[in-house]
Structures are given as structure tokens and as C-alpha cells.
Amino acid sequence: MKTIVIIGGGAAGMFAAINTARLSNGNSKIILLEKSSSLLSKVKVSGGGRCNVTHQCFEVNDLVKNYPRGEKELKGPFHFFNPKNTIEWFEERGVKLKAEADGRMFPITDSSQTIMDCLLKEANKFGVAIKTNYSVNAISKTENGFEIENQFHEKIVAEKLLIATGGNSQGIILQQLKNWQHTIQPLIPSLFTFLIPQPEIVDLSGISIPLVEIILPKNNFKMKGALLFTHWGLSGPAVLKTSAFAAKTLFESGYKFLVQINFVPQFSMAQVKEILQQQTVNASRQKVCSHVLFDLPKRVWQMLVSKSDINDKQNWADINKLQKEKLLKCLTALDLQTIGKSTFKEEFVTCGGVTLSEINFKTMESKLVKNLFFAGEIMDVDGITGGFNFQNAWTTAMIAAHAMVK
Ligand SMILES: Cc1cc2nc3c(=O)[nH]c(=O)nc-3n(C[C@H](O)[C@H](O)[C@H](O)COP(=O)(O)OP(=O)(O)OC[C@H]3O[C@@H](n4cnc5c(N)ncnc54)[C@H](O)[C@@H]3O)c2cc1C
């Protein structure tokens, strides 16, 4: 009987172990090794304890756009196993998922324990041999496969090996992969918010705007979405997406960078200029600070007016050319300086990991080491917030499971 070893008892490792055992029909022995004392620890805390299992997005071309790293490579895998298949997989096992208005999908129980119970029950049903407190400290190639050694120098031999040790993988695993000529992209954080502790920003804490454009002028980077002012700076989907898609350049800046906010991205610069110009005629006697334009929240408008050096008493007819130019600039490209990053509701993912061109995405097998497979965040794949990271784990684990039983 062939032995298949899976390292890592997170979402990817568990899903791979269960499906490999299920598909092998008892022809292989499946062993799952987890260094900590408990399985699925990230699943447990995920989605604020509710587990955002996947996203209600069934068009592969749309789905892949949510992966700053992995967009191209995940296309094929998602044709094989996508959120629709995830929903079915859990539903067939008695776990119904529901979608929220923004597309995020959770178990109807709103409890990550439901997902954990389901996975643990399936692992048990298909006879996965689970070893916790088993920290893999060495892996070597043998004639027929691999020898895996733990912290007590106990050894297991396997014909096939799947590495699913996640985004915070220990040096030892990454070093072994490097010894096998795999290139590891630097591990850096993704999905964070911007620290901008300026009084005029933090004073707006709690206010959100449905559509702004975040601009990183140095990198010619633009991202549209909702913005949320917080008591430490800026958050919301537009900020989180920027942190993911620009993760590498922001890391290189030490998280001290100039960010610009366009509060009126639905208008061209010329249109905004024209609208401001019209006010001097149509609203000449109205106070600028109380005459809110562009449907902006009043306090945001007042902050922008004040930043343009227009005082509380000035009417539209009173403001000079320079003040009007400043208001135009503040509306379309408000300059803000970040001093660091902050974690989004404790959720973060790691960008970096095993270089994608070294993996065959039809099987998840290494192109450099035969019978070595990968799944989940160990690879240089990461998604934005919304259930996309777990979907990557389910999909790549399922593909590896199919390939490993062949
Ligand atoms: C707080 C938080 C909330 C999140 N919420 C969501 C969410 O709601 N939806 C979503 O899609 N994504 C979410 N994410 C991201 C998501 O959790 C990860 O992308 C996902 O867990 C990756 O799965 P994985 O199996 O690849 O890695 P992991 O879940 O990190 O699992 C890897 C496992 O390998 C084990 N391991 C590592 N090294 C060794 C070793 N040498 N020997 C043995 N075992 C080892 C680790 O102990 C761990 O259990 C969240 C992340 C965080 C931190």
C-alpha cells in the first residue's frame, strides 16, 4: 500500500488529506502531520469566528481578479474546483453556506466550528491518520519517495508528499525546498490598513464613503472601492485591495509612503473643475463649508474645505483662484502620508512562498521534484479579503488530491 504524507493541518492540508483518502478508496495510507496540538487553528478564528469559507463568485475570469498573486495560474484550477464546487462539497456533507450582500459566504450557523467539525468528521470517516505535535524538522529524498523526520528524530517514509504548511512556514521547510532548487519569493504581509494618525483624518473615524480612488503616485497605482476612516487612519475595501495589490512596493517603502485619495472618481478632473466654477455663479452667496457637493459626508467635505485654506465664513463668491485650485486638488488627490500599517481585524495573509512557475497547476506537483506537491498559502498565491484565501486552499488541495491518487 502506498503512503501519502501531508504536512500541515490547516485548511489546505486537511482538505487534501480528506479528499486523497476518499479518492484512493483504501488503496493508500494517508498521514497528516501537524506541528501544533490542534488542527485548523486559522479556520477556527477566521472571519471573526464565523469562517468566510468562500465567495459567491462563479465566473472564473472574475474570480481570479481577486488574487494579486496567482491570477494567471489559478484560472485552470478554478475551472476544475471553484466556489460552486466548494458550496456543493460542504452541502453534500450537511453544511449549508449562505451569502452576505457583499458576496462573502459563511456557514448558516455563523460558526467556524461547523466547518471544523465537518472536516474532522470526514477525516475520521476516511481513516486519515492524524499526528499532532509532529513538527517536521527534516525531509530527504529516497529512491522511491521521501523520508520525513520530526523533532524527536522519528521517521516516516512516503511515496508522495504534499506540503501545506501555510504562509508562515518554518525556515526548515523552506530551506529544504531551496535545497531542491525551488525559489522562494520573500514572505511579506498582505491585507493591512494604513496608519495615518493625523487629527483631521482620525477625527472622521467611523465615516465611510462608497466610492473613492486610492492613488500611489510613486508607483502609478490606482484602486477604486469603499473607504472607511478609522481611529488610526484609513481602512475599507479600497485600502485593503491596495495593500494586497501593492504589497511588495509598500513593504519596500517600510510602510511610509505618500497616498492620494480621489474623493470624486466618478468625475473627470475637468468636470470637477467645472462644477466648482459653477458654484461661484449659482451659489455665490452660500458658505462653502456648509454647501456640500458630490454627495460627500458633510464632515469629510468640511475637512477638504479646511485643507484648502477656505475659512468657515467664506462664500463661494469670496474664494480666490488659489483656494479653488486647492479645493480641486484636495477633492481629486488629497495627499496623505502613512507612518506604518495596521492589521485588518487580525486577518492577514502572506504574499510570497514557492514560485508559481515551478509548480504544475494541473496537478499541483513540483516541476523540480517528482511526487512532491503543494497546496494553500505555502505557494506565492494570496487573495484579497472575502473568502478567496480559503478558496485557494480548497481548490489547490482538491487538485493535488486527484493527482496524488493517480
Ligand atoms: C485571523 C485570520 C482570519 C482569516 N480569515 C479568513 C477568512 O475568513 N476567509 C479566508 O478565505 N481567509 C481567511 N484568512 C486567511 C486563511 O486563514 C489562510 O489563507 C489559510 O488558512 C491558509 O491555509 P493553509 O492550510 O495553506 O495554511 P495554514 O492555515 O496556515 O495551515 C498550515 C499548517 O501547517 C502547520 N505547519 C507549519 N509548519 C509545519 C511543520 N514544519 N510541521 C508540521 N506542521 C507544520 C501549521 O501549524 C498550520 O497548522 C484568515 C487569516 C487570519 C490570520
Side-chain angles (χ1 to χ4, degrees), residues 29-79:
K29 184 170 187 208
I30 314 302
I31 305 175
L32 180 122
L33 308 174
E34 166 56 46
K35 76 171 175 192
S36 72
S37 57
S38 50
L39 299 162
L40 300 167
S41 53
K42 274 200 195 168
V43 171
K44 188 172 187 168
V45 297
S46 67
R50 296 199 298 145
C51 188
N52 180 189
V53 180
T54 185
H55 201 92
Q56 194 182 38
C57 178
F58 306 131
E59 270 301 318
V60 170
N61 287 339
D62 295 335
L63 184 61
V64 291
K65 291 200 184 103
N66 297 289
Y67 294 86
R69 283 145 293 272
E71 176 177 349
K72 180 168 70 88
E73 293 79 3
L74 285 174
K75 246 185 200 167
F78 282 151
H79 279 292

Side-chain angles (χ1 to χ4, degrees), residues 380-398:
D380 185 20
V381 170
D382 56 273
I384 60 169
T385 182
F388 301 104
N389 285 300
F390 279 142
Q391 187 57 52
N392 167 50
W394 314 134
T395 296
T396 51
M398 184 60 93

Side-chain angles (χ1 to χ4, degrees), residues 7-13 33-36 42 45-47 51-52 134-136 164-167 170 173 346-349 375-378 387-390 393:
I7 310 179
L33 308 174
E34 166 56 46
K35 76 171 175 192
S36 72
K42 274 200 195 168
V45 297
S46 67
C51 188
N52 180 189
Y134 193 110
S135 179
V136 173
T165 47
Q170 283 176 331
I173 301 272
E346 287 163 24
E347 180 178 341
F348 61 91
V349 291
E377 225 184 293
I378 177 78
F388 301 104
N389 285 300
F390 279 142

Side-chain angles (χ1 to χ4, degrees), residues 343-359:
T343 320
F344 169 66
K345 292 185 186 164
E346 287 163 24
E347 180 178 341
F348 61 91
V349 291
T350 319
C351 128
V354 180
T355 299
L356 303 185
S357 58
E358 298 168 356
I359 301 168

Side-chain angles (χ1 to χ4, degrees), residues 112-149:
S112 55
Q113 193 62 47
T114 308
I115 300 299
M116 292 172 72
D117 289 346
C118 171
L119 295 173
L120 293 168
K121 193 170 146 212
E122 287 294 299
N124 192 33
K125 179 173 146 191
F126 291 109
V128 176
I130 294 174
K131 293 179 189 284
T132 50
N133 296 308
Y134 193 110
S135 179
V136 173
N137 275 3
I139 311 169
S140 50
K141 279 269 321 135
T142 62
E143 206 183 321
N144 296 320
F146 304 88
E147 187 176 78
I148 298 122
E149 189 177 321

Side-chain angles (χ1 to χ4, degrees), residues 28-297:
S28 301
K29 184 170 187 208
I30 314 302
I31 305 175
L32 180 122
L33 308 174
E34 166 56 46
K35 76 171 175 192
S36 72
S37 57
S38 50
L39 299 162
L40 300 167
S41 53
K42 274 200 195 168
V43 171
K44 188 172 187 168
V45 297
S46 67
R50 296 199 298 145
C51 188
N52 180 189
V53 180
T54 185
H55 201 92
Q56 194 182 38
C57 178
F58 306 131
E59 270 301 318
V60 170
N61 287 339
D62 295 335
L63 184 61
V64 291
K65 291 200 184 103
N66 297 289
Y67 294 86
R69 283 145 293 272
E71 176 177 349
K72 180 168 70 88
E73 293 79 3
L74 285 174
K75 246 185 200 167
F78 282 151
H79 279 292
F80 184 74
F81 195 86
N82 61 48
K84 196 163 172 282
N85 307 101
T86 305
I87 297 164
E88 281 165 9
W89 194 93
F90 280 102
E91 201 158 305
E92 278 162 17
R93 285 150 184 92
V95 176
K96 230 178 143 23
L97 304 183
K98 56 160 181 179
E100 307 221 316
D102 58 5
R104 292 179 303 155
M105 298 199 75
F106 297 88
I108 53 166
T109 56
D110 275 329
S111 168
S112 55
Q113 193 62 47
T114 308
I115 300 299
M116 292 172 72
D117 289 346
C118 171
L119 295 173
L120 293 168
K121 193 170 146 212
E122 287 294 299
N124 192 33
K125 179 173 146 191
F126 291 109
V128 176
I130 294 174
K131 293 179 189 284
T132 50
N133 296 308
Y134 193 110
S135 179
V136 173
N137 275 3
I139 311 169
S140 50
K141 279 269 321 135
T142 62
E143 206 183 321
N144 296 320
F146 304 88
E147 187 176 78
I148 298 122
E149 189 177 321
N150 74 357
Q151 69 271 42
F152 308 116
H153 305 293
E154 294 161 356
K155 289 175 184 166
I156 296 176
V157 287
E159 279 80 23
K160 295 191 180 182
L161 175 65
L162 175 105
I163 302 190
T165 47
N168 307 319
S169 291
Q170 283 176 331
I172 207 126
I173 301 272
L174 297 180
Q175 189 51 53
Q176 184 54 64
L177 291 174
K178 283 183 195 163
N179 294 347
W180 286 332
Q181 308 308 318
H182 268 293
T183 340
I184 307 298
Q185 297 301 319
L187 304 182
I188 58 172
S190 178
L191 294 185
F192 49 84
T193 64
F194 300 164
L195 267 183
I196 309 173
Q198 293 174 17
E200 67 269 31
I201 296 299
V202 298
D203 279 356
L204 299 173
S205 171
I207 296 178
S208 61
I209 302 179
L211 184 69
V212 302
E213 185 172 54
I214 306 264
I215 304 160
L216 301 175
K218 210 175 144 199
N219 311 93
N220 209 8
F221 176 94
K222 292 180 178 179
M223 177 65 69
K224 284 184 187 164
L227 178 77
L228 173 70
F229 291 91
T230 67
H231 59 268
W232 65 87
L234 296 178
S235 181
V239 169
L240 291 167
K241 277 198 262 171
T242 302
S243 79
F245 282 92
K248 286 186 183 164
T249 50
L250 299 186
F251 171 78
E252 280 156 14
S253 77
Y255 303 107
K256 291 179 178 57
F257 53 92
L258 175 75
V259 58
Q260 293 177 331
I261 315 292
N262 179 358
F263 290 92
V264 285
Q266 59 278 52
F267 298 99
S268 69
M269 182 79 107
Q271 285 173 320
V272 180
K273 201 171 176 179
E274 175 61 24
I275 292 168
L276 295 184
Q277 196 55 41
Q278 282 166 8
Q279 305 313 308
T280 33
V281 182
N282 301 342
S284 60
R285 303 246 161 214
Q286 300 212 35
K287 291 215 167 26
V288 180
C289 74
S290 51
H291 183 72
V292 182
L293 295 178
F294 305 106
D295 276 337
L296 287 173

